[in-house]
Every structure is written in C-alpha cells, then in structure tokens.
Amino acid sequence: MAPKVLSPFLSPLSLPHTVSYSNAKFLRNCTKPVPIYCKSAQSQTQHKNPVPSSDEIPESDGIGAAAPSPGERFLERQRAFEAAKVVLKEVKKKKSREKEKSLKVNRAVASCYGCGAPLHTVDLDAPGYVDPDTYELKKRHHQLRTVICRRCKLLSHGHMITAVGGNGGYSGGQQFVSAEELREKLSHLRNEKALILKLVDIVDFNGSFLARVRDLVGANPIILVVTKIDLLPRDTDLNCVGDWVVEATTKKKLNVLSVHLTSSKSLVGIVGVVSEIQKERKGRDVYILGSANVGKSAFIDALLKTMAQRDPAAAAARKYKPIQSAVPGTTLGPIQINAFLGGGKLFDTPGVHLHHRQSAVVHSEDLPILAPRSRLKGTTLPNARVASEIGMADRWKSDGLNGFSIFWGGLVRIDVLKVLPETSLTFYGPKVLQIHVVPTEKADEFYQKELGVLLTPPTRTDRADDWKGLELTRRLQINFEDVERPASDIAISGLGWIAVEPVRKSIKGSNLNFEDTTKELHLTVHVPRPVEIFVRPPLPVGKTSSEWYQYRELTEKEEELRPKWHY
C-alpha cells in the first residue's frame, strides 16, 4: 500500500505545561505540519520480503486517513494559538503575583534627592515637606527631582532630627517612620536583577555586618565594601586587615565577589570599587546597602567623585547627591542617581536599623559622640597615669586589674574577675568617651552618682534620669594559647572594641614563666539592653600587628573559592 501523509492533530491538551516563548515564530514552528509515514499491516507481516519496485506497487484502494482540507488546517492552527494564549496568561499571572508581594520603587512620585522621602506640602515637621510656592514652581517647570526637603536642610546645618520610630528607633524628636517600613522598602531587591554593594563599618564590623543580607537581596551578586579604614590606628598593616576581613566573611558563610577596603574621606580603595562595578554590572542597576550610619551617603559622594573623571553622567549627578548626617535614618527611601552614561541607575537605600547597636538607645543629641571623627588611638589599662589618679599603683603592681571595674563613658562597664597580673585591656572607640576605673565594690555607687556628669553619654542629668541603665550583663571566659598575641576582642555593637592581651606589650619577651598558668581570663561586661556583645578573633591594628597576626593555611579549593580583597 502506498504511504499516506497524515497531518498532526494538535489540541490544547497536547501543549506543554509551560510555554516560554509567545511570539508568532514560535507558534508557527509548533504548528508546522510534519509528514508521518504509516506502514500497512501487510507490510509489517511481510517485512522479510524484498521491497517491490515502483512498477509493482498496486494502485491505492482508498484505505487510510484522508489528507486534511485547508479549512481543517486553519481550525487546528487557531486552536493551537488559543491554547498557547491560555498557558502564557497563567505564567504572566504567576509572575505578577510574586512581584506584588514586594514593594517596588515608585519612580512616578517625586522624592527629595537628599533623603528619598516623597515630597509634599502638608505637614511642616514631616520628612519631605517643601514650601507650597516652591513646590508649584518646580512642578510647573518639571524640576521636582532637584528639590530638597526642609528636614534635609536642617540636617545639613547640624540639627539632629530623628525620623525613625518603633523597634530600633531613637528617643528625642518626633517619630514618623518605623524601622520595619524602611526594611520593607528594600524587599523588592529579591526580584530585581541588580548588583549589590554591601557596606560594613570597620570600627563596628560585627555590629554593622547585616548577617541576614541574603534575605533582602536574594541571589544577586554582592561586593563587600569595608568603610572608614582611615580611622584605624596609625601604622596598621592593611594586608593583615584585608585577610582578617575575608576570614571573618567566610566564617559568616556570605559568598561575595570581592572585598574592598575603602575610605570615603581619603578616597583610598574607591578606584578599585569603580573598576569592579564596571566589570560586574553588565547593564544592571547598582544598589548601595548597609546598616544605618555605616557611611553610605559619604561613600556615594566619593564614588561619584571618582567616576566623574571619566563619566559625564556621574559628574552631573554630583550636583544632587544624598545628604550626609550623623543621625541614623537620614535616608528614608530609595534615591535614584543617574550615574552611568551607558544606562542603569545607582540607588542609595535606607539604612537597615539594627536594634542591637548603641545608637538605638542613645539620645538623638548624643549621637555625634558615637561617631569617631579622627584616627583611633587605643587607651591601654593598666597605665601609670590612671594608677596615680585613683591611688592604686601598688595594688596594680601586685594584682593587675583584678577586682576593678572599668567604665567606658556611661555605656559600658567591665568587671575584671580573674586575669593575669600582666593582662591589659586596650579600648578602641570614640575619643569623647572617657574611661574611669574604680574598685568593683564601689562601682554601683559610682555609676549612680556620676551618670550624666563624669559618665557620658547620656549627657546632662535630665537625660540620665530617663536612662534605663546597664541592664544586660554577660560573663565572659576567654581562653588563650599564646601570650605573645592578643587573646581576643570584645566588640560592643555600635561603639568599638576592647582588645584583651594576656600579657601587655611592655613586658613581652621577658623571662616570666606562664607555662603553669591557667590560660583563662574571666570578665563581666554590662551594657544597655538590647546592645549586643561579640567575642571575636583580634583585629590586627597598630604597629606590631604584622608581628603577631597569623595567616591561616588554605587548601587549594579554599584558595580558589575565597574572595580576593583590594584597597
């Protein structure tokens, strides 16, 4: 029997469950007739006989499917089109439902270029307020994106105006926005294709790290930018610091493309960040992400200044850069910056407010005290000056810091329970915070009497009356193996850190025998609730850091996967 050509029967049920292409070319390819050759029953039973020549093939007797008519083919194509539309409609609905869950950046509403708050003319004290006449004039000339609000003008002149309330909010000033609302404004990043620059403050590395950053940014690539390295003590070896940061990042199981040590003030490391952005951006938007007061606005200013040398778009964007202020919560909404000549945007984002930092409990007028302005210089105890002030020189020579309490302003108290007579503590933090030492049996009385006077912040006695005190207590047992290097750091979230050395530098290398000594140090740390205390490997700072810092031996696989650091 002669082979017959059969047209395929394409029904809606025969389509795949998901269709990734909706153009006409795809549908034409799916519905193009394909010839199918059928063998008769007789040919299947006589497959061993030789195939007859064309002269021997008998004439068709009409058995088999008839060829479809043009009308039938048209109907089949129409059915295929309708079925594809149904599937594509369901796919689009699913995607739209996922995006509705997140709050996208509303670019249609004009916002203050200084803080990102929506512009309005209603409430004089609210962020985003603009004089009605100015608003109407700028709106008429389509220049609302060049307007700065009243609150930003006050912040730029040194006024401490808080605008974030709720969990992680601040006392003093009228509250307008909750920390949860600010975090919600970042939730859309999970569904964006973007490049993330995650900023971390080296002075408050643990407190500003944002350990759950993947919950915000999803699978987007991350470049880790460490800010304020110009504040580290003089003669610090940045090779050691870079390795320390990479090691800490690896332990936190955060996969990053690279690590950059930067200073927005001196522009150290900024060129490397610009090069990394140009390499990894690939047409995507770039988002600057970090905790409140980590230095995002200052970093963007330094970034635009460096980019402006070669990119005219970045040079023009510098005229309307985000406002800088010591108040956490300065930025209240995503700020779009047209910084790339070839397309794509740069976004400054609201700082993520962390309730466990000191800035969450300090009065708004005392916030500038917590921000170091110049290079850190550690204060080491015990020392001769403090010993003479408290009249305990003889006791320190025999028993060291044992039995003493050390106050770091009004924010931290450390009770030394059991350490070596040669143990020292070095405090790295804001210079304004004074250190006071008293015998532990007199510590409670001293704190009640001097809070707001000698122990500041809180400053002024009226703020001290509202202060809840050092409610959180944590007892620490610090083990050490080598007396020639610091045992660990005690990092206070939002403030700084205390380096714990089993044997102070002045007597290292002497003939003292520590082999039979119990290698444990016992301390109790008191801080306000809910400030966190971190015990971490010592940060290698200072002139001698390169002498005692130990680089970890890496396997070949670790060497390949470990991110590189730059400055």
Side-chain angles (χ1 to χ4, degrees):
M1 182 184 298
K4 296 294 183 178
V5 178
L6 303 179
S7 85
F9 180 77
L10 183 60
S11 68
L13 296 177
S14 64
L15 283 175
H17 293 292
T18 59
V19 179
S20 59
Y21 299 92
S22 60
N23 53 30
K25 182 179 179 181
F26 168 74
L27 293 174
R28 286 198 303 270
N29 292 337
C30 290
T31 59
K32 184 177 179 180
V34 179
I36 302 176
Y37 295 90
C38 300
K39 297 181 180 180
S40 65
Q42 183 180 1
S43 64
Q44 292 177 358
T45 57
Q46 299 177 355
H47 64 278
K48 296 183 179 179
N49 298 331
V51 179
S53 63
S54 58
D55 297 334
E56 297 175 350
I57 296 177
E59 198 173 291
S60 173
D61 56 1
I63 298 175
S69 65
E72 290 174 334
R73 285 196 294 267
F74 174 77
L75 288 176
E76 294 302 329
R77 284 197 299 270
Q78 290 300 110
R79 290 172 185 169
F81 274 107
E82 293 300 323
K85 287 180 181 179
V86 171
V87 175
L88 291 172
K89 188 175 181 180
E90 290 298 322
V91 172
K92 289 181 179 179
K93 281 184 178 180
K94 183 179 179 180
K95 289 183 178 180
S96 63
R97 284 195 297 267
E98 290 177 355
K99 289 189 177 182
E100 283 175 2
K101 294 179 182 179
S102 62
L103 182 63
K104 298 280 288 182
V105 179
N106 189 353
R107 302 179 185 179
V109 178
S111 300
C112 169
Y113 73 80
C115 66
L119 297 177
H120 63 90
T121 59
V122 180
D123 189 348
L124 179 67
D125 295 325
Y129 175 82
V130 181
D131 179 72
D133 295 336
T134 302
Y135 184 88
E136 291 300 328
L137 178 63
K138 294 293 185 180
K139 183 179 180 181
R140 191 180 310 120
H141 293 282
H142 305 284
Q143 296 178 341
L144 284 177
R145 295 193 182 276
T146 65
V147 176
I148 192 169
C149 71
R150 176 177 178 271
R151 172 177 174 265
C152 285
K153 291 179 180 178
L154 294 174
L155 287 173
S156 63
H157 287 84
H159 293 268
M160 297 291 106
I161 305 174
T162 60
V164 181
N167 183 26
Y170 312 100
S171 59
Q174 189 174 356
Q175 312 295 341
F176 301 101
V177 185
S178 70
E180 289 78 7
E181 289 174 328
L182 287 183
R183 193 179 184 94
E184 184 66 22
K185 292 182 179 181
L186 302 173
S187 61
H188 68 92
L189 287 177
R190 292 183 58 85
N191 299 312
E192 296 273 352
K193 289 186 177 180
L195 177 64
I196 308 298
L197 266 62
K198 169 182 158 63
L199 270 59
V200 181
D201 184 352
I202 190 62
V203 179
D204 185 28
F205 184 85
N206 297 82
S208 65
F209 192 83
L210 294 184
R212 299 178 61 186
V213 68
R214 284 294 178 190
D215 294 345
L216 292 175
V217 304
N220 284 314
I222 297 176
I223 297 173
L224 183 66
V225 179
V226 181
T227 62
K228 306 180 184 179
I229 64 165
D230 57 300
L231 297 180
L232 293 178
R234 197 175 301 279
D235 298 324
T236 294
D237 189 343
L238 293 184
N239 291 296
C240 299
V241 175
D243 185 78
W244 185 92
V245 170
V246 171
E247 188 70 18
T249 304
T250 304
K251 287 181 179 179
K252 292 178 181 292
K253 298 182 179 180
L254 178 65
N255 295 324
V256 298
L257 297 176
S258 58
V259 175
H260 296 262
L261 307 182
T262 67
S263 167
S264 301
K265 184 177 180 181
S266 63
L267 301 184
V268 170
I270 302 297
V271 173
V273 178
V274 173
S275 299
E276 191 77 3
I277 291 174
Q278 293 172 345
K279 174 185 174 184
E280 301 291 344
R281 190 168 69 87
K282 300 174 183 177
R284 294 173 292 194
D285 292 335
V286 178
Y287 285 80
I288 311 296
L289 193 68
S291 62
N293 253 29
V294 78
K296 295 188 299 298
S297 298
F299 172 76
I300 289 176
D301 184 23
L303 194 67
L304 293 176
K305 185 176 181 180
T306 304
M307 293 171 58
Q309 299 175 8
R310 296 186 177 182
D311 194 335
R318 289 196 67 204
K319 188 175 181 181
Y320 304 107
K321 59 190 177 183
I323 198 73
Q324 299 180 37
S325 171
V327 176
T330 299
T331 303
L332 299 175
I335 301 175
Q336 176 182 314
I337 304 171
N338 301 322
F340 305 109
L341 189 61
K345 310 294 181 185
L346 177 69
F347 285 92
D348 186 12
T349 62
V352 179
H353 288 260
L354 304 173
H355 68 282
H356 59 71
R357 303 180 75 192
Q358 288 280 6
S359 55
V361 296
V362 172
H363 192 279
S364 59
E365 296 297 329
D366 293 335
L367 287 173
I369 297 176
L370 302 183
R373 300 296 181 186
S374 59
R375 192 179 293 277
L376 299 178
K377 186 177 180 181
T379 301
T380 301
L381 295 178
N383 59 50
R385 180 185 61 82
V386 176
S388 61
E389 287 179 358
I390 63 176
M392 293 287 181
D394 294 335
R395 180 175 169 181
W396 277 14
K397 288 180 180 180
S398 61
D399 206 21
L401 294 173
N402 288 298
F404 285 95
S405 293
I406 305 167
F407 289 95
W408 201 7
L411 302 178
V412 182
R413 167 183 164 182
I414 299 178
D415 297 336
V416 183
L417 305 179
K418 183 181 180 182
V419 298
L420 300 178
E422 299 80 16
T423 296
S424 67
L425 305 178
T426 303
F427 292 74
Y428 294 96
K431 294 180 180 179
V432 179
L433 265 67
Q434 299 296 318
I435 296 177
H436 299 275
V437 183
V438 296
T440 300
E441 61 268 18
K442 299 180 180 179
D444 292 336
E445 179 184 354
F446 179 79
Y447 187 76
Q448 295 295 329
K449 179 182 178 181
E450 300 296 342
L451 184 64
V453 184
L454 287 178
L455 302 178
T456 58
T459 56
R460 303 205 316 248
T461 54
D462 57 334
R463 295 174 188 165
D465 293 339
D466 298 330
W467 185 253
K468 294 183 179 180
L470 308 178
E471 300 177 317
L472 190 62
T473 300
R474 182 178 174 186
R475 181 161 179 168
L476 305 178
Q477 176 181 311
I478 300 174
N479 299 321
F480 65 93
E481 296 294 334
D482 187 359
V483 297
E484 296 295 326
R485 60 191 305 269
S488 65
D489 287 346
I490 303 173
I492 310 298
S493 182
L495 188 62
W497 75 96
I498 303 111
V500 181
E501 294 184 273
V503 177
R504 55 184 177 269
K505 301 172 185 176
S506 60
I507 60 174
K508 284 179 181 178
S510 61
N511 295 324
L512 296 176
N513 185 11
F514 299 100
E515 292 183 2
D516 299 331
T517 305
T518 302
K519 296 184 177 181
E520 295 177 356
L521 307 176
H522 296 267
L523 307 167
T524 300
V525 182
H526 308 259
V527 292
R529 190 181 301 276
V531 173
E532 283 196 16
I533 303 165
F534 302 93
V535 178
R536 69 187 190 192
L539 177 63
V541 297
K543 193 173 185 178
T544 61
S545 59
S546 58
E547 299 175 4
W548 58 259
Y549 183 74
Q550 296 177 338
Y551 291 90
R552 186 170 64 88
E553 292 292 334
L554 302 176
T555 64
E556 193 171 314
K557 184 177 181 180
E558 286 178 327
E559 189 70 38
E560 181 181 352
L561 299 177
R562 185 180 168 100
K564 307 299 181 185
W565 63 270
H566 313 269
Y567 72 91

